[in-house]
Amino acid sequence: MKLKTIIISLLLAIACGTARADYTPSPQVRQSQKEFASDRFGIFIHWGIYSLFAQGEWFLNYGVRDDEYSKAARAFYPIDFSAREWIDAIKDSGARYITFTTRHHDGFSMFRTAESDYNIVDGTPFRRDILRELSDECQRQGIKLHLYYSQLDWHRTDYPMGRTGHETRRDSTKADWTAYYGFMNRQLTELLTNYGPIRAIWFDGYWDHDQDSVPFDWQLSGQYDLIHRLQPGCMVANNHHEDLKEGEDIQIFERDVPGENTAGYSTQQMADAVPLETCQTMNGMWGYKVRDTDYKSSKELIRLLMRCSGMGANLLLNIGPQPDGQLPAVSLDRLKEIGAWLRANGETIYGTQAGDISPQPWGATTRKGDRLFVFLFPEKAGGELRLPLRCKVRSAVEFSSRQKLPVSRDRKSGETVISLPYRASDPSVSNPAFIIELQTKP
């Protein structure tokens, strides 16, 4: 290793320090957590040069040589990209924040960086700083900005190879963790210094070394401490699929509502003291894949938002933009339909806490003070709804019409019984759930 690299790495290590074992979020982070938990809905953006191949964001891992793949940067010219159009559509959907992929596993940076010319400004004919434009537009429209950052890299030779990216033909003998760790921290410093207020850094890739015979030390504590010092209100999240670690401010659940594990990624224990977030795709892939047209319906997505909120979690819903810079038409349709529903019913989602009853096959619940909102999926409705509530119910109304609903308590079972109108059985797309508002007391 060169002396200069050693000196820089040592200085970075000293600057980063070691996060306290008794990590306590700063007042600024606490405020960010409070705002984040109230938002309930955000949009994930997976975009990079992989969109040119239209095979998803992991294309480089599927047997492609890195030296051939990286040539695609010279052809990346997203002529139709408009930060304003993106944020207009996202804001209209009712989403309160975005999480943008600044650098994915292929190692290409979607922002101007002094650390490598393999980036959107220096490495493509487009020569525009995508992240700068998005940051400016987010600030203009009041949308909070979170940044995705990959901890693994299939392009750089100094990244110690894990269990992925073995067919990229990189020279694994040049692995140098100290140099790579310094590179990451310098890029994080750029991101947190040059792009305005960033509410969260969203890490991914930790799992690349989860099969090592000797546990891999990612040196998370120093990196997390660096982030918290550069922007005291910036939260740290890590999609490592493990229990929450010191210094993390958000807990992530990939493709599952917290408490479920249908996708195989969510075996972690739910943390008590931090906000939760579920990330999920609109179709099957995160990055753009031209043949992946199996989009979830708006009703499915709205119900997913209800179920996440019912567990006290946010939904981070993904879009993979096209190589020309446009958001796919189906994605835009879904955003419009979700937005229309939230404009009418957002009071039952925004600023709520987990409901008294966790999500069930029939629906979900959320709470706001003494108001308990019950989302009943119409096809599951019968003549009555029986809820095992500990609280007392003063009254029940249908949320939108304010129609009063008969409510009683079954003395034998202790359940709250709500009589339902006939129209609750209508399973139309425009009615993802029949929403009941209960006024309660302890």
Side-chain angles (χ1 to χ4, degrees):
M1 186 189 305
K2 293 181 180 180
L3 179 60
K4 181 179 179 181
T5 301
I6 295 174
I7 293 172
I8 292 174
S9 298
L10 286 173
L11 289 173
L12 244 170
I14 293 170
C16 290
T18 302
R20 299 183 304 277
D22 59 341
Y23 169 70
T24 300
S26 68
Q28 296 96 321
V29 164
R30 289 290 192 199
Q31 182 61 30
S32 293
Q33 289 176 316
K34 182 180 179 181
E35 293 174 356
F36 172 76
S38 179
D39 288 348
R40 284 291 173 255
F41 182 39
I43 296 297
F44 215 167
I45 301 289
H46 272 74
W47 196 38
I49 60 173
Y50 45 79
S51 67
L52 285 167
F53 301 97
Q55 297 298 316
E57 76 290 349
W58 272 52
F59 184 63
L60 180 54
N61 185 59
Y62 302 150
V64 180
R65 292 178 61 103
D66 173 67
D67 56 0
E68 291 297 322
Y69 174 92
S70 60
K71 293 176 183 177
R74 299 301 305 161
F76 191 48
Y77 195 90
I79 190 170
D80 293 322
F81 169 72
S82 167
R84 175 169 291 188
E85 290 180 7
W86 279 23
I87 302 305
D88 280 347
I90 288 168
K91 187 172 184 177
D92 187 60
S93 76
R96 300 286 179 84
Y97 64 98
I98 67 168
T99 301
F100 179 72
T101 45
T102 62
R103 188 172 69 86
H104 207 266
H105 309 327
D106 64 351
F108 184 80
S109 297
M110 293 292 285
F111 65 102
R112 181 192 292 273
T113 174
E115 293 303 311
S116 166
D117 61 4
Y118 196 46
N119 69 74
I120 186 68
V121 178
D122 301 310
T124 77
F126 194 56
R127 303 193 67 79
R128 284 164 52 187
D129 191 337
I130 295 289
L131 182 57
R132 164 60 58 204
E133 295 179 29
L134 282 173
S135 175
D136 290 346
E137 193 61 30
C138 282
Q139 291 180 61
R140 191 181 72 83
Q141 297 205 38
I143 297 294
K144 298 297 184 181
L145 180 59
H146 299 188
L147 302 181
Y148 171 108
Y149 189 83
S150 175
Q151 292 169 296
L152 72 86
D153 195 307
W154 296 325
H155 174 74
R156 291 182 64 93
T157 57
D158 55 0
Y159 171 71
M161 191 176 294
R163 61 177 170 86
T164 63
H166 285 267
E167 297 182 43
T168 60
R169 314 298 199 279
R170 288 175 299 138
D171 186 351
S172 61
T173 65
K174 294 183 179 180
D176 184 344
W177 168 250
T178 302
Y180 182 71
Y181 185 67
F183 158 77
M184 284 198 295
N185 287 334
R186 289 189 297 273
Q187 279 209 322
L188 288 167
T189 299
E190 291 177 323
L191 292 170
L192 292 167
T193 303
N194 300 333
Y195 293 95
I198 306 301
R199 197 171 65 172
I201 295 293
W202 205 100
F203 286 113
D204 192 23
Y206 177 101
W207 36 261
D208 194 43
H209 282 279
D210 62 8
Q211 297 177 8
D212 290 10
S213 57
V214 177
F216 189 82
D217 183 6
W218 286 96
Q219 296 180 260
L220 297 180
S221 60
Q223 202 161 66
Y224 291 177
D225 190 58
L226 174 67
I227 292 166
H228 289 135
R229 285 192 302 102
L230 288 170
Q231 288 205 27
C234 184
M235 300 177 291
V236 171
N238 197 319
N239 187 37
H240 45 49
H241 308 148
E242 297 181 1
D243 291 350
L244 197 75
K245 303 183 187 303
E246 289 289 338
E248 295 172 1
D249 307 299
I250 300 170
Q251 188 175 33
I252 300 168
F253 295 82
E254 183 174 351
R255 293 188 183 273
D256 270 303
V257 174
E260 301 178 2
N261 187 29
T262 62
Y265 302 122
S266 301
T267 59
Q268 65 267 47
Q269 295 294 313
M270 279 188 290
D272 296 325
V274 301
L276 313 177
E277 181 183 71
T278 289
C279 57
Q280 181 57 282
T281 55
M282 278 195 185
N283 45 3
M285 298 294 290
W286 301 98
Y288 179 67
K289 184 176 181 179
V290 69
R291 297 182 66 181
D292 184 7
T293 58
D294 187 18
Y295 279 79
K296 301 171 184 67
S297 69
S298 296
K299 181 166 72 174
E300 289 177 280
L301 295 174
I302 292 168
R303 287 183 174 184
L304 177 59
L305 177 59
M306 295 171 185
R307 296 176 66 246
C308 288
S309 299
M311 288 300 293
N314 288 16
L315 172 61
L316 181 62
L317 185 61
N318 184 74
I319 298 174
Q322 298 167 177
D324 62 2
Q326 294 191 74
L327 302 181
V330 180
S331 296
L332 289 172
D333 289 343
R334 297 295 183 270
L335 291 182
K336 288 179 181 178
E337 290 159 357
I338 294 170
W341 186 88
L342 278 170
R343 280 189 289 277
N345 303 287
E347 190 176 359
T348 67
I349 299 292
Y350 300 127
T352 61
Q353 299 175 326
D356 296 26
I357 302 172
S358 61
Q360 302 292 321
W362 52 259
T365 65
T366 61
R367 176 171 282 282
K368 185 179 288 183
D370 60 1
R371 304 163 73 193
L372 182 66
F373 302 106
V374 180
F375 302 98
L376 176 61
F377 300 157
E379 68 273 16
K380 303 293 184 180
E384 63 181 25
L385 177 63
R386 304 177 72 91
L387 302 173
L389 297 174
R390 294 183 179 181
C391 62
K392 295 179 181 179
V393 177
R394 292 175 174 172
S395 63
V397 298
E398 194 273 321
F399 176 74
S400 61
S401 70
R402 312 311 292 173
Q403 175 187 351
K404 291 184 178 180
L405 304 176
V407 59
S408 61
R409 193 174 187 89
D410 186 318
R411 292 183 179 180
K412 186 175 181 179
S413 68
E415 295 174 310
T416 296
V417 183
I418 303 169
S419 297
L420 302 172
Y422 176 75
R423 65 189 180 87
S425 62
D426 175 15
S428 64
V429 173
S430 61
N431 185 20
F434 183 73
I435 306 176
I436 303 167
E437 179 183 334
L438 305 179
Q439 285 287 336
T440 68
K441 60 182 180 179

